[in-house]
Amino acid sequence: MEAELKEQQTFSNASVRIINRGRVLRLLFQEGSMTQLEIKNRLNLSGPTVTQILQFFKEAGLLREGDEIPSSGGRKPRPIEFCYRSFFAVGVEIRRHHVDVQVMDLKGKTEAGTVRRLVFEDSGAYWRQVNDIVRETVGSGPRAGRVLGVGIAFPGEISPKGNIVSRSTVLGLKNFPLDHIQKNFDYPVYVEYGANAAGFGTVWRSRELKDAVYVIVTNNGVAGSVILNKEIYRGRYNKPGAFGHMVLNPEGRKCFCGGRGCWSAYGALTCLTGEEDPDLEGFFKKLDRGDKGCALRWKEYLERFAQALANIRLSFDTEIIIGGKLAPYLAPRIDELKKMVAAYPALAEDCMDIWVDTEADSPMAEGAALMIVSSFLNDTLEGFHLEQL
Ligand SMILES: [Zn+2]
């Protein structure tokens, strides 16, 4: 009985230590730099506990002592700084004909990136080639030994258990198993639906945002995700956010899903340019020069966009963020779109919180990398626990 109690006590002391380590790490991550006294007061921890935790993370390379802060008298305090470049995460977006690889630091800043032509095929050789591009992008310097993992943004719905791509129309896959991917990589791999990764990354980066509906426009259609309290909302079948297949016109254009009149059939970037690889810059230049054909296509495109956003806004009382390649072109025209959404009588004035995300150049790859960073900071990254640093 006594032995049992003692065991429980030891276990609970260890858990408290781990929890406190995580609290100190996340606080410094958020603030960047703080003195030991500030940390102690903010988290209500004892001096020796803070000293011990800081020592642990300094040895792991995650924290370091900064320069002395000038003070009027007494001992000059030295701030403790978070080393955002102590570890790195890699994000990979899988496309039909390309892979986009981004290496990010812990702050979410891009360190290196490569977009390479590589046609998707379900083979070990393909994944080994992706791994080679990852290694090349990471480089052979000290960064190579500080990679936490590779987040793969996949263009397809992932099963609720996370081990199967249940469907990817873009790649023509159904019930595609994911377990064989890992053996071709040098780093731990985590696979996520691309739009989920992109939405997650955008909200994770924002200090203000906790909840959002994220919409991403691609060459072939529209995808999306729902982020609640900075986490991906997965629903029952891991399918929320499939806004691209919301039917806007039951007798309308054929969609690649097999249905008719889906938003994707009107919202894909190919609808604007008519080319397989849309030249958006060229399209918007022509539009600005007053090209009548472009103006007509843009009008129809925006009308459908507004219709879809109105439906989303009526379903979710939260911010809507639009990301992807269209974002920089939509940014100067966002007021026009907002006005069209506001013209829906049920919405009127309460739909102004629609905005575009132009920060991420590769939102899916970056988001997949940031999922790794987030798991690391929350100490939930598989095979990589703060305790074992
Ligand atoms: Zn569809």
Side-chain angles (χ1 to χ4, degrees):
M1 180 73 181
E2 205 173 293
E4 200 178 297
L5 266 177
K6 212 170 175 187
E7 203 173 282
Q8 277 179 2
Q9 187 66 39
T10 322
F11 172 75
S12 109
N13 283 346
S15 318
V16 169
R17 196 172 65 234
I18 293 167
I19 290 167
N20 283 336
R21 274 184 189 169
R23 288 173 71 210
V24 169
L25 191 70
R26 284 187 291 275
L27 178 67
L28 271 157
F29 171 81
Q30 213 169 37
E31 301 297 329
S33 161
M34 285 176 103
T35 66
Q36 198 160 331
L37 186 68
E38 285 169 331
I39 299 166
K40 177 178 164 286
N41 292 342
R42 184 83 83 86
L43 298 177
N44 208 9
L45 293 170
S46 76
T49 301
V50 175
T51 308
Q52 203 187 25
I53 294 174
L54 294 181
Q55 193 52 37
F56 175 78
F57 283 128
K58 274 192 244 170
E59 277 166 24
L62 270 162
L63 302 178
R64 67 164 170 244
E65 281 195 13
D67 296 332
E68 278 180 5
I69 301 168
S71 82
S72 46
R75 248 179 82 202
K76 289 175 185 151
R78 270 179 183 275
I80 309 294
E81 294 174 352
F82 192 97
C83 305
Y84 294 102
R85 297 186 69 251
S86 52
F87 287 98
F88 302 91
V90 181
V92 178
E93 182 197 348
I94 302 292
R95 299 186 203 149
R96 195 160 35 159
H97 298 125
H98 293 87
V99 285
D100 180 346
V101 177
Q102 301 291 325
V103 181
M104 321 279 293
D105 70 11
L106 297 180
K107 188 140 198 165
K109 212 171 137 252
T110 305
E111 280 269 320
T114 318
V115 180
R116 190 78 53 85
R117 187 173 162 86
L118 183 65
V119 178
F120 178 84
E121 59 170 54
D122 176 21
S123 72
Y126 170 83
W127 291 111
R128 280 193 294 280
Q129 271 177 287
V130 177
N131 179 55
D132 288 345
I133 302 171
V134 166
R135 281 176 45 179
E136 215 179 283
T137 315
V138 168
S140 54
R143 220 162 43 197
R146 313 287 288 176
V147 172
L148 297 167
V150 179
I152 297 183
F154 205 84
E157 297 160 4
I158 315 268
S159 66
K161 279 193 182 156
N163 58 341
I164 288 171
V165 173
S166 36
R167 191 172 68 156
S168 168
T169 321
V170 177
L171 302 180
L173 300 173
K174 246 186 176 174
N175 299 323
F176 171 75
L178 295 169
D179 359 25
H180 66 293
I181 297 177
Q182 177 66 69
K183 65 172 183 274
N184 301 297
F185 279 84
D186 294 340
Y187 299 114
V189 164
Y190 178 77
V191 185
E192 181 56 80
Y193 172 47
N196 276 350
F200 175 87
T202 305
V203 177
W204 186 86
R205 274 193 169 117
S206 159
R207 275 189 95 116
E208 300 85 32
L209 276 180
K210 278 199 155 79
D211 309 327
V213 163
Y214 181 83
V215 167
I216 184 160
V217 185
T218 65
N219 289 357
N220 310 305
V222 183
S225 54
V226 180
I227 311 297
L228 294 180
N229 205 19
K230 295 217 180 256
E231 297 283 345
I232 295 165
Y233 172 65
R234 299 200 179 271
R236 190 166 157 78
Y237 299 107
N238 207 11
K239 281 187 175 184
F243 306 115
H245 299 290
M246 161 198 311
V247 177
L248 302 179
N249 176 9
E251 269 109 56
R253 283 184 202 164
K254 267 197 114 169
C255 174
F256 64 81
C257 73
R260 272 195 182 278
C262 302
W263 182 15
S264 278
Y266 298 93
L269 295 177
T270 48
C271 300
L272 283 176
T273 63
E275 307 149 319
E276 202 180 312
D277 188 14
D279 168 21
L280 286 183
E281 198 174 333
F283 174 84
F284 282 100
K285 265 190 188 154
K286 268 162 81 181
L287 180 71
D288 288 340
R289 279 203 303 264
D291 182 281
K292 281 200 178 127
C294 287
L296 207 68
R297 259 181 279 168
W298 180 239
K299 184 172 171 281
E300 186 187 23
Y301 188 88
L302 269 193
E303 276 168 4
R304 291 299 184 188
F305 215 109
Q307 187 188 359
L309 291 189
N311 287 343
I312 295 174
R313 195 62 184 81
L314 286 163
S315 318
F316 292 95
D317 183 21
T318 184
E319 268 93 347
I320 300 175
I321 307 163
I322 303 154
K325 277 201 282 188
L326 183 69
Y329 300 100
L330 191 59
R333 300 167 172 89
I334 191 69
D335 286 338
E336 190 183 348
L337 180 62
K338 281 183 184 176
K339 263 188 216 149
M340 289 165 81
V341 180
Y344 283 81
L347 283 167
E349 293 306 311
D350 30 312
C351 59
M352 289 299 128
D353 37 17
I354 296 170
W355 51 284
V356 285
D357 175 37
T358 50
E359 201 182 320
D361 291 328
S362 300
M364 293 199 190
E366 291 176 29
L370 294 176
M371 292 188 76
I372 302 261
V373 172
S374 168
S375 315
F376 171 68
L377 292 170
N378 290 315
D379 205 12
T380 53
L381 189 63
E382 214 172 304
F384 214 116
H385 293 288
L386 297 180
E387 191 64 7
Q388 300 154 358
L389 280 174

